[in-house]
Amino acid sequence: MKSNKLVIIPTYNEKENIQDIISEVLALPEHFDVLVIDDGSPDGTAALVREMKTIYSSNLFLKERQGKLGLGTAYLEGFTYALQNGYEYIFEMDADFSHNPRDLSKLYEAAFRDGHDMVIGSRYVSGVNVVNWPMGRVLMSFFASKYVQFITGIPIRDTTAGFVCYRSRVLEAINLEKIRFIGYAFQIEMKFTAWKLGFDIFEVPIIFTDRTRGTSKMSKHIFREAVFGVIYMKLKSMFKKYRPVNQT
């Protein structure tokens, strides 16, 4: 039976993690499907996914892209795929186990049972729940979310979170072709747009654990995009009329 839940996992050089993360997600009792979007990983990540597809042919899907095209564009391709294939609940998560696969169940319950339109796996909604990060990075991430709240007025504690469940109606309402950012500012832009459209957004507390295998993809360019992108996004929104979606 086809699942109505799709987990999108972008990858670049994740051979140490990808098979384990796929196995854990597909073993969950809620029966999620998985879409891996690989940006031409030279370490053979995609080949490992293709190997697993021989076992999980009906639940595991792979899109291979040529070159490193950015996190945001990977998710946008994944969202388009999800909508075209009729998924109702669409999830973002990292491949490196910084997001615990078991927490997908918590996000799904908040959307399915409680009816929230967008559910965020939040590091900061109940204190600071981050493991294995240096204090400097914890502070940078925490105050980045505070900065976004201050500039935009958005009532979300973890605005840069990459562990999210969307109801399909949220993605249908957002003009995905107009999403500008491709790095971590992409996460902020999606949340900001959903909020301006009047969707019900809820944060579920999770514990974020830094990767133990593979290397981080964070860069100064990504951070700069987030800092200056928020100002651009706020200014642009002042000249745009958002028509809240009529939710029934």
Side-chain angles (χ1 to χ4, degrees), residues 16 27 43 46 67 78 81 102 121 130 136 138 168 176 179 211 224 230:
E16 295 93 346
D43 72 346
Y81 176 92
R102 290 189 294 275
V130 178
V138 173
S168 60
L176 298 176
I179 295 297
R211 65 164 65 238
R224 281 197 303 269
V230 170

Side-chain angles (χ1 to χ4, degrees), residues 66-241:
Q66 300 302 313
K68 201 172 180 184
L69 303 177
L71 182 75
T73 65
Y75 278 130
L76 291 173
E77 280 199 37
F79 295 157
T80 300
Y81 176 92
L83 295 176
Q84 289 174 344
N85 287 276
Y87 288 96
E88 173 62 21
Y89 302 92
I90 300 100
F91 300 77
E92 304 175 355
M93 76 177 297
D94 293 344
D96 60 6
F97 284 95
S98 55
H99 305 137
N100 188 330
R102 290 189 294 275
D103 286 335
L104 285 167
S105 303
K106 292 165 60 174
L107 271 62
Y108 173 65
E109 280 299 305
F112 174 71
R113 184 193 61 207
D114 302 330
H116 300 294
D117 297 309
M118 182 180 188
V119 183
I120 300 166
S122 177
R123 296 163 291 187
Y124 307 127
V125 73
S126 60
V128 178
N129 296 317
V130 178
V131 177
N132 292 342
W133 264 6
M135 183 54 67
R137 189 168 177 187
V138 173
L139 292 173
M140 183 178 74
S141 173
F142 178 78
F143 284 109
S145 280
K146 289 293 184 185
Y147 164 77
V148 174
Q149 283 184 288
F150 175 74
I151 295 293
T152 66
I154 191 170
I156 295 174
R157 298 285 187 89
D158 195 350
T159 53
T160 62
F163 194 26
V164 183
C165 171
Y166 296 89
R167 296 285 296 271
S168 60
R169 62 192 180 201
V170 178
L171 299 179
E172 288 167 347
I174 294 173
N175 187 343
L176 298 176
E177 293 182 357
K178 293 292 181 70
I179 295 297
R180 169 184 172 84
F181 298 111
I182 63 172
Y184 281 85
F186 164 82
Q187 302 292 3
I188 302 167
E189 188 176 10
M190 289 294 293
K191 295 176 184 68
F192 180 76
T193 307
W195 173 59
K196 294 292 281 186
L197 289 171
F199 285 106
D200 176 9
I201 303 174
F202 184 71
E203 291 183 85
V204 170
I206 63 159
I207 295 176
F208 179 97
T209 304
D210 195 22
R211 65 164 65 238
T212 58
R213 295 176 292 182
T215 57
S216 172
K217 312 304 187 296
M218 177 64 79
S219 69
K220 290 181 180 178
H221 169 75
I222 289 172
F223 184 69
R224 281 197 303 269
E225 181 194 67
V227 170
F228 296 109
V230 170
I231 298 172
Y232 171 86
M233 189 177 66
K234 174 61 176 178
L235 291 173
K236 185 179 176 183
S237 73
M238 294 168 68
F239 300 96
K240 179 178 179 181
K241 186 171 183 179

